Amino acid sequence: MEHKNTTVRLLLIASIMLFACTSMADDQIGVTGIDPTIPDRPVIHQPARIGSPLQVDQYRHVDYLSPWFDQTDDWELIASDSFSVMIPAGDHLAVSFDPGTEILQIIDPTVELTATQMAAIERAPAWLRSDLYDNFRRFLYPFLADSMALRILGAPDPYVDEVAFQVAHIAPTTLCAMYYQLFLENAQWIYTADSSLNYVELMDYGNSNDDDYWTTARYSVIEEIGDTVQVEIDREIYYWYILHPKLSDEFPTYIYPENGNPAQPPWGVFWRDYLWNHADPGYPLLSEQFDDCDFLWARGTGPNDAIGTVNGWVGDVMAWGAGPERPIQPVRIYVLHCGNCGEYSDIRAAAGRIALIPTVCTTNFCEDHVWNEFWEREWIHWDGGSVNTPLMYENSWGKTLSAVFNWRGDGFNWNVTDRYSEEFCTLNVSVYDSAGKPADGYSITVESDALWGGSFYATWAVTNSQGVASIILGDDQSFMLRLDGPLGGYPSVGGLVSVITGSQAGAAYNWEHTMSSASPNLGVMQMIEPPNPDDDYMMEITFDCEYESTYGMFYDNNEFTEKLTPGYVDFFFADEENYNAYCGFQQAWVGGPFENSSSGEFDFVIPTSEEWYGVFSAREESITCPMVSGTVNIYRSLPTSVSCEDYPTQPLSFDINGVFPNPFNNETVISFSLPSSERIRIAIYNLLGQEVATLTDQIYAGGMYNVRWDGRNDLGHMITSGIYLVRMNSEHNQAIQKICYMR
């Protein structure tokens, strides 16, 4: 009875969502050849400033060694573990060690999934599991995710990876409204086409009995000099741009040819099977066009290739000029046999993927044109018979392009403006919360003047964990934008901000905005060094933040996932009391913190006998989830019985012995030693050799000393973030060490 009730609930929800998608399909029209209208909205003028380009993808590695680490100690490894975890926004991952019990633990924030979902993840290839987990956890109802998992568990070889990829890379709201048999049939049709095409061969590496396996494709290509070469594409290109059932803004489903609405088979058909195996009277059958086609593409002049074959078929089945109906479903476009560039782009993309050509839809909204690109070691411009001539729109057609982007099947769009415009500029957008901290996960909608009047969408972007996004735009255009994100929208009334008027070629425009709300604060402060630290155990942590996943919706209301590199995460050490304070959102005193780190190597000598934690935190993130992988080793200090006679005391040297913490953002301690009495001057310099601050200038007796620095210059002002030099001078000696300050 429970199974029956679950099935009824599933069918009810899917029916409601399918009805909504059917209504949406009726209302949607082609992306060009129309006059899309957006209601007039208020415009605020806040011009961007021309300046230096922002570093939006700066990799940050941190090395740390405890200041009480004794180089003469011997250590033995007593425990080890590894982790690879996507940390949910606002949460944390921790590794803990209790010196009393010598127990090492990893505190994993991973959301628990159902047994069915976990079984599907286990059956999927290893490289796909984190993506599949991420999509499953985003389902509103677990039983709907279970229904997707069952499709993976029931898929036969060699289609398991293809089915799993589709489930992992279609938005959950879209998945719930699809006919589930489409996942397997879509994969099967690819293998059917492969058996009929001479220029391509699917390459299966392993199968579902292996831990990791994947599929890709190998092509015959003619080089410009006439040589024939074999080219194998990356698996990402195969899965996203051959397999994926969604081309641009259409809904991926079976379509009833007579009206273009979603319909269950046998009344509904999918474009991959329909266009390959069906021909209306008087039109050529696509599957019969490739008999003499032995090459994907001839870069120079040469024999007939697959690109030319698809162009010929599209020209035979389509007539230029759209009627009153502007469909976006390839099946319906074929039935009508006419259209403008929007319909041509959609049916060319479908025919390309049917013929196992990696194909995308390319869009330039504001200047009212769309076309395609295909992949052959790079993305190649493809607009019917015009191939690899991306500058023709500006140089031959006389257009000045505002922005150009490509579609991905999960709703993400990526900017390719620089491929189609000889002159372009960059708009760097920085978003902060009310406390001045970066605001992540903000969708940036950029609009420009539309060919038909008013303004329309030009392109989109999303801020990373540093609150920054960089957008390439055309020159000699005006641009407006809008922000939408977890702290609210701006402008709040749904309007736009005018940021660029008459964009200048080569210019870097910087625009920033501070929201009126605050995001969560990390809530930790740098601890004071223990007066007599223990040195019985050491925690060694090595980690890499491989990427950070962000989420958003652009044009077609599909929530995409985009992996941004490098990723960033905050890290610190804390004893049990302060770890509990951190978890309770109370002020905590910690070792570090080391904020916005992409990777790191930490050797932390545990200074007390209580339990200690190494914490990777995403508390300050609202949307972004860092993917962190690493290892943790625990060492025990070995007792030594070496006598003073056997191991004589080494004389002190003139040296900077250490800087802790490094990097720092509050205060750091510089330790130094002297073999004898002399006058010592310690100062901070920037990398240009300019003195920033003097820390001490006096006579010291031989021995070991500490000086502190709070990041201020000699005028009492806080310095900017960056690398500096600590220089220690006497009359005859000098020592230098790098130090990193991060605000």
Side-chain angles (χ1 to χ4, degrees), residues 197-201 218-220 290 293-296 306 355 357:
L197 299 172
N198 299 326
Y199 55 85
V200 59
E201 178 185 6
R218 181 181 297 165
Y219 299 88
S220 294
F290 298 92
C293 184
D294 295 323
F295 304 96
L296 169 66
I357 302 171

Side-chain angles (χ1 to χ4, degrees), residues 489-529:
Y490 181 77
S492 58
V493 294
L496 297 169
V497 182
S498 175
V499 293
I500 299 177
T501 301
S503 54
Q504 300 178 26
Y509 292 90
N510 298 322
W511 185 85
E512 62 182 47
H513 179 72
T514 299
M515 306 302 297
S516 59
S517 300
S519 56
N521 187 42
L522 185 60
V524 300
M525 296 289 289
Q526 183 181 318
M527 70 180 184
I528 301 173
E529 295 179 32

Side-chain angles (χ1 to χ4, degrees), residues 112 139 441 597 603 612:
E112 186 175 351
F139 275 79
S597 301
D603 292 319
W612 279 80

Side-chain angles (χ1 to χ4, degrees), residues 170 174 240 243-252 270-271 353 407-411 556 558:
I170 298 176
T174 301
W240 273 114
L243 167 71
H244 205 289
K246 192 172 187 298
L247 302 169
S248 59
D249 55 343
E250 87 286 0
F251 186 80
F270 189 60
W271 52 261
R353 292 196 187 183
W407 295 84
R408 198 173 69 190
D410 62 348
D556 62 353
N558 277 261

Side-chain angles (χ1 to χ4, degrees), residues 231-300:
V231 177
E232 186 169 321
I233 61 174
D234 293 339
R235 67 187 181 199
E236 178 179 294
I237 299 295
Y238 166 76
Y239 289 103
W240 273 114
Y241 307 111
I242 293 178
L243 167 71
H244 205 289
K246 192 172 187 298
L247 302 169
S248 59
D249 55 343
E250 87 286 0
F251 186 80
T253 190
Y254 299 102
I255 294 296
Y256 184 51
E258 297 305 315
N259 59 19
N261 289 333
Q264 187 172 353
W267 302 277
V269 295
F270 189 60
W271 52 261
R272 200 181 292 272
D273 175 50
Y274 186 73
L275 299 184
W276 183 253
N277 292 316
H278 170 81
D280 286 344
Y283 293 97
L285 186 65
L286 180 59
S287 60
E288 295 178 350
Q289 305 306 301
F290 298 92
D291 293 344
D292 299 323
C293 184
D294 295 323
F295 304 96
L296 169 66
W297 184 37
R299 282 183 172 260

